[in-house]
Amino acid sequence: MLKEKLRKKRVYLSSNSDAEVLLQVFGDAYGKGNGDGHEAVFNAVKEVHKEVIGGYSVVALVANKGITAFRDPNGIRPLLIGEKKVNGKKICAFASESIALSIQGYENIRDLKPGEAVFVDKNMKQHSRILESGIPAPCVFEYVYFSTVESVYEGRPIYEVRKKLGEELAAKVKKHWPDLEVDVVIPVPDTSRAAANSLAKALGVPYEEGLIKNRYIGRTFIMPVQKLRENAMKLKLKPIESVIKGKNIVVVDDSIVRGTTSKRIVQLLRESGAKKVYFLSTFPPIRNPCYYGIDFQREEELIAHGKTIEEVEKEMGADKLIYMDVEGLRKAVGTDKLCTACVTGEYPTTTEHTKELTSLRKKHIAQITSKC
Ligand code: SF4
């Protein structure tokens, strides 16, 4: 819809990238010359907030003026700023993960607030303002899957959150399945390692590395089409038979989206001689699409959509499937000011344009698939 609006204004879009649309909306508003200096930039950002519904973090160079960075009014997507001194002069940088800044010696690292914009002028003077503040709803999936374990998101160390996820899951197992016989807990590398470790400790069961990740395969989840994901999956994980053979295995993964990886893991563990395979997910069942930039925008691609946990368990071929619940997830993160829409279906923004988004996505996937 936004693209259509821009086309009607005779704005030429040269890509499928959302960033280009954001740039055009921002550029169009900035070009109207509403205000001076940082006020002109902030007025243009206000226009973006008005026009663009969804989750976004933007860093943009304003030619000959400076750099601006801003976060959507609900703070769905992450954005941080850090400072350091170079040759006695204070400079700053922006990133979507704290580790990208701390590793380069930046200090005073902080998350931009929901709806906040920062403008850094040519003299490195920072101007900052909250231009629009919606209900804070940072993406909970950042804690569970996206962020690297060394990062800190919204003041919470990811490693600590993931450890707590493991403890919460262990508490659930003890409460509902006290007789589950487990010989060993293994993680699906790398994201679920901290959770699997703390879960094993809480259950009093050995923790081992039973699956080894091929370092040369990227994240299969973010590959654009199923065929590519399946091909990559075949090469991605290799089992260690001595850890698995003849044992009742608890395998811990961060989440289950389409189920491609999870099914393959269950199959791999069985082929390696596992007696029982209990699959534990540190994220609750994903039954709703994400419209905020994460690549699951159609409900039919989600393994848990429209299914009970028992049905998903059967489809995956696991002896037991245990999911985290929403309460446990919020407890582990330490707040309920989160976006959990893919789990609960409660979206922090209006969803009136989502049908159109879904059909555009389908067309896009059909185009890529035809080239594969
Ligand atoms: S819908 Fe899920 S993945 Fe998307 S922003 Fe919300 S929590 Fe994150």
Side-chain angles (χ1 to χ4, degrees), residues 332-365:
V333 177
T335 179
D336 56 3
K337 289 193 176 95
L338 295 164
C339 176
T340 53
C342 48
V343 175
T344 58
E346 291 158 16
Y347 292 87
T349 66
T350 170
T351 50
E352 59 190 87
H353 309 306
T354 52
K355 271 198 186 122
E356 197 178 350
L357 263 178
T358 309
S359 87
L360 280 171
R361 173 77 184 146
K362 274 184 191 163
K363 263 193 229 161
H364 181 53
I365 287 184

Side-chain angles (χ1 to χ4, degrees), residues 63-78:
N64 301 320
K65 303 284 180 199
I67 286 180
T68 187
F70 53 94
R71 205 172 169 192
D72 64 80
N74 301 97
I76 298 171
R77 299 264 65 86

Side-chain angles (χ1 to χ4, degrees), residues 42-101:
F42 289 166
N43 286 332
V45 176
K46 279 187 201 164
E47 277 302 305
V48 175
H49 287 329
K50 234 187 271 168
E51 293 282 334
V52 183
I53 304 162
Y56 49 88
S57 285
V58 176
V59 180
L61 192 64
V62 184
N64 301 320
K65 303 284 180 199
I67 286 180
T68 187
F70 53 94
R71 205 172 169 192
D72 64 80
N74 301 97
I76 298 171
R77 299 264 65 86
L79 183 58
L80 300 102
I81 181 170
E83 298 170 345
K84 73 173 172 182
K85 278 203 170 153
V86 174
N87 300 330
K89 203 175 169 186
K90 190 165 86 176
I91 64 163
C92 66
F94 300 93
S96 58
E97 280 203 42
S98 66
I99 188 72
L101 299 170

Side-chain angles (χ1 to χ4, degrees), residues 110-123:
R110 69 166 182 95
D111 296 85
L112 266 70
K113 296 194 173 61
E116 182 179 352
V118 175
F119 177 69
V120 186
D121 67 24
K122 283 195 289 190
N123 302 316

